[in-house]
């Protein structure tokens, strides 16, 4: 029996996929099967990215507070922290062509809107600030071409569906590697994110031209987030995933295939010509402790309290439930503790000598 799991932030290399679930980074074979943990910190993690040689995975982890860049060998071993920036926007975006970790962050900037791309070496040396200005993502083409995503509004498209404001994501492209960027797909009225360069291939013979591939990205200009691609000049725009009500999220590529998450499942598009999306049959192993009920620390999850008229007890909100707690002795009683329903803002009042509690 397959256990339910919510899978996000996939990436792939060869026959291996990495992704996040249950506040850890996991790896699994692309043809399906049991996954294993790459990290074991039980903290929010995101955007794992496999290195070009497939031996190392980098990701963003909040193990020590603010998100920082961590790396670990895919085959097993201790994770190493590479940054100490203290910026809440630090996010791993991939790898540079020369094998450094590609990161966006507002570290050292005046505002959270100025997210710059940086190339981070694995030996712990200083990061190089890339000369692109404030950006939210970078994709490298086959011959020094670069695609940039404008600095995002701070939330991915699936969090703020059908956003059409001025800070929606926009694509910019440098088609010849000379440093001059022009707007790509300025006619799409949607929120664009996760730029990719897919399908570029070296020629089999010197007399044959290089296959330059396609620029892929996520957009919700058709009201639901989906995967699209076009040629570098903006022509031949295609949609590769269905508009089934669930947003396509967290797209990534190994240069040939594209993986993405949708409704907590992982999907792969094997090519951008005729392939249809197919679901990856990934199963998590282990105890699945996050699915089991457990006691929580009431002090940590305390929401609000309201004492009654006599001062002998209070209505207390703790993690979506309302309880009656006496001030001297006696058991606490659950007034509202229904699974799947959040109760909050309790308030006590007296009517005709009787104490009552009301809550939202």
């Amino acid at each position: 029996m397959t256990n339910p799991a919510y899978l996000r932030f996939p990436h792939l290399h060869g026959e291996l996929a990495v992704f996040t679930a249950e506040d850890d980074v996991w790896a699994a074979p692309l043809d399906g099967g049991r996954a294993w943990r790459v990290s074991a910190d039980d903290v929010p993690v995101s955007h794992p990215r496999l290195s070009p040689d497939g031996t190392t995975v980098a990701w963003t982890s909040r193990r020590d507070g603010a998100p920082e860049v961590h790396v670990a060998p895919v085959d097993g071993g201790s994770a190493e922290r590479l940054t100490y920036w203290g910026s809440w926007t630090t996010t791993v975006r991939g790898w540079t062509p020369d094998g450094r970790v590609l990161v966006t962050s507002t570290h050292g900037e005046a505002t959270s809107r100025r997210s710059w791309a940086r190339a981070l070496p694995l030996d712990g040396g200083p990061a190089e600030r890339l000369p692109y200005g404030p950006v939210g993502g970078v994709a490298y083409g086959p011959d020094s071409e670069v695609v940039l995503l404008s600095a995002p509004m701070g939330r991915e498209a699936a969090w703020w569906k059908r956003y059409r404001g001025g800070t929606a994501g926009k694509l910019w492209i440098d088609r010849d590697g000379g440093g001059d960027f022009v707007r790509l797909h300025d006619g799409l009225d949607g929120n664009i994110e996760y730029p990719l360069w897919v399908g570029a291939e070296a020629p089999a013979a010197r007399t044959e031209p290089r296959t330059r591939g396609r620029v892929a990205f996520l957009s919700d200009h058709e009201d639901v987030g989906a995967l699209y691609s076009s040629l570098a000049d903006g022509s031949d725009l295609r949609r590769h995933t269905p508009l089934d009500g669930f947003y396509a999220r967290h797209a990534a590529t190994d240069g040939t295939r594209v993986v993405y998450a949708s409704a907590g499942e992982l999907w792969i598009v094997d090519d951008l010509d005729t392939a249809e999306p197919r679901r990856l049959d990934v199963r998590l192993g282990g105890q699945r402790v996050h699915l089991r009920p457990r006691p929580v620390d009431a002090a940590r999850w305390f929401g609000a309290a309201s004492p009654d008229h006599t001062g002998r007890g209070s209505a207390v909100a703790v993690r979506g439930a309302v309880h009656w707690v006496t001030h001297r002795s006696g058991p606490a009683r659950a007034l509202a503790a229904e699974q799947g329903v959040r109760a909050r803002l309790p308030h006590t009042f007296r009517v005709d000598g009787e104490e009552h509690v009301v809550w939202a």
Side-chain angles (χ1 to χ4, degrees), residues 64-258:
D64 303 317
E68 303 287 357
V69 178
H70 292 241
V71 295
V74 175
D75 292 336
S78 300
E80 179 182 359
R81 177 176 169 180
L82 295 185
T83 61
Y84 294 82
W85 292 344
S87 169
W88 289 99
T89 63
T90 297
T91 305
V92 171
R93 297 296 179 182
W95 295 76
T96 62
D98 60 2
R100 293 179 291 174
V101 184
L102 178 64
V103 187
T104 57
S105 178
T106 58
H107 167 62
E109 300 297 328
T111 72
S112 61
R113 295 288 305 161
R114 296 185 59 83
S115 175
W116 283 66
R118 292 168 169 83
L120 187 65
L122 293 179
D123 61 5
E128 178 188 357
R129 192 180 194 223
L130 301 179
Y132 303 136
V135 296
V138 181
Y140 293 100
D143 293 316
S144 301
E145 307 96 332
V146 180
V147 176
L148 304 179
L149 174 71
S150 62
M153 59 185 175
R155 298 188 179 191
E156 63 171 295
W159 288 16
W160 199 343
K161 295 177 175 63
R162 290 167 287 281
Y163 174 73
R164 298 293 185 263
T167 58
K170 304 171 182 64
L171 291 182
W172 299 81
I173 186 169
D174 174 11
R175 296 190 177 95
D176 58 10
D180 295 325
F181 288 86
V182 296
R183 180 84 178 273
L184 182 65
H185 296 305
D186 55 354
L188 294 184
D189 183 24
N191 195 2
I192 298 176
E193 56 185 358
Y194 289 93
L196 312 168
W197 202 298
V198 184
E201 297 180 357
R206 293 184 178 181
T207 57
E208 299 177 358
R210 173 190 286 271
T211 302
R212 303 187 63 82
R214 301 175 65 83
V215 177
F217 54 92
L218 299 179
S219 175
D220 65 352
H221 63 275
E222 292 186 285
D223 292 335
V224 176
L227 176 68
Y228 297 84
S229 75
S230 72
L231 299 178
D233 61 4
S235 62
D236 192 26
L237 181 66
R238 305 175 189 172
R239 176 166 53 83
H240 303 280
T241 59
L243 303 175
D244 57 3
F246 292 103
Y247 269 54
R249 306 170 65 186
H250 315 146
T253 184
D254 62 351
T256 303
R257 303 161 295 181
V258 177

Side-chain angles (χ1 to χ4, degrees), residues 191 232 242 245 267 322:
N191 195 2
W267 295 79
V322 175

